[in-house]
Amino acid sequence: IGELAGSIRLMAKEIREYIAYIHAQAYTDGMTGVGNKTAYMDVMKQLDRKIQEDLAEFAVVVFDVNGLKTVNDNLGHECGDRIITGTANALKKSFGAEHSYRIGGDEFIVVLENMTDIDLEKYYRDFDAAVEEENEKIAGEKLVAEDAPVQLMLAVSKGASFYVPEQDKEYKEVFKRADEEMYRDKERFYRGKNDRRRR
């Protein structure tokens, strides 16, 4: 009986580990290690439910990699992938993988609950510092020749918005404001580069 009980415990442990593995595979972006679009959609549903129950308190931050198409076209997709993974690394280091989601090729979302403006400013500082660290790593990796047509460098536009109880009826309203702020940040980036390209 003791041996049977031990075998059952071992089998139960293996089943739990397998379920956890399958869950991670289903909800994690394979390239970057952050949540994938399926995981993000689940978070959206949870927040919409909290909004309906008057329990919501969250911020949404939208990120978009600048110049990825130029990197892909001029340096190749291997370098483009390095830019994407670098962005994810910076997000994981500053915001945490559990709050970060990749929803498109170069688009990332962070969702944080119980946030303040001061908290967000600190997260932004941490993220900017993490981006600089990634750029130092990229420079040291020498992935492209010195006479390459463009420089391989990580630059990310971002925009945030907070849920407003008296105003927002759905999660997507908060997301829309954050997305609009991100595009304003992207326009400022390209104006600084004397370049009107949006991507």
Side-chain angles (χ1 to χ4, degrees):
I1 293 175
E3 290 179 2
L4 179 60
S7 296
I8 291 172
R9 283 195 297 270
L10 179 60
M11 185 183 302
K13 179 175 179 290
E14 290 174 348
I15 290 172
R16 286 195 301 272
E17 290 174 350
Y18 182 71
I19 291 172
Y21 170 77
I22 294 298
H23 184 275
Q25 293 294 306
Y27 285 84
T28 303
D29 179 64
M31 177 188 289
T32 63
V34 300
N36 61 16
K37 194 166 184 178
T38 300
Y40 173 65
M41 297 294 287
D42 278 359
V43 169
M44 287 177 57
K45 292 175 184 175
Q46 292 169 17
L47 290 174
D48 273 334
R49 186 167 60 250
K50 287 186 177 182
I51 289 171
Q52 297 303 314
E53 297 171 354
D54 293 325
L55 298 173
E57 185 178 352
F58 64 93
V60 180
V61 194
V62 179
F63 299 84
D64 194 274
V65 179
N66 295 325
L68 181 63
K69 185 177 187 302
T70 300
V71 170
N72 283 335
D73 290 347
N74 289 276
L75 303 178
H77 286 270
E78 180 182 354
C79 290
D81 289 349
R82 179 63 183 87
I83 293 295
I84 291 171
T85 57
T87 301
N89 291 341
L91 288 171
K92 287 185 285 188
K93 184 168 186 178
S94 52
F95 291 92
E98 68 275 21
H99 303 299
S100 306
Y101 307 89
R102 183 184 179 204
I103 64 166
D106 60 352
E107 298 171 296
F108 294 84
I109 302 287
V110 165
V111 179
L112 294 163
E113 298 193 66
N114 304 313
M115 282 278 295
T116 67
D117 290 332
I118 295 174
D119 293 333
L120 183 60
E121 289 174 7
K122 180 185 181 302
Y123 277 117
Y124 269 7
R125 288 194 299 271
D126 291 344
F127 176 73
D128 290 342
V131 166
E132 289 306 311
E133 288 181 14
E134 284 298 316
N135 276 323
E136 290 174 7
K137 292 177 186 176
I138 289 171
E141 289 168 11
K142 300 188 183 304
L143 296 173
V144 298
E146 292 183 4
D147 60 349
V150 297
Q151 182 181 4
L152 184 63
M153 186 181 74
L154 177 57
V156 185
S157 293
K158 55 187 179 290
S161 182
F162 286 82
Y163 166 69
V164 180
E166 303 81 11
Q167 174 182 325
D168 299 318
K169 305 303 181 186
E170 295 179 288
Y171 167 87
K172 66 182 181 182
E173 296 175 27
V174 188
F175 168 83
K176 183 181 178 183
R177 290 197 303 273
D179 196 46
E180 290 170 349
E181 178 58 34
M182 182 277 292
Y183 273 106
R184 284 191 287 271
D185 189 42
K186 185 176 285 286
E187 288 169 357
R188 288 191 292 269
F189 172 82
Y190 283 123
R191 278 202 303 270
K193 296 286 186 181
N194 295 317
D195 187 336
R196 287 185 172 274
R197 289 170 299 177
R198 302 274 291 189
R199 294 263 177 189

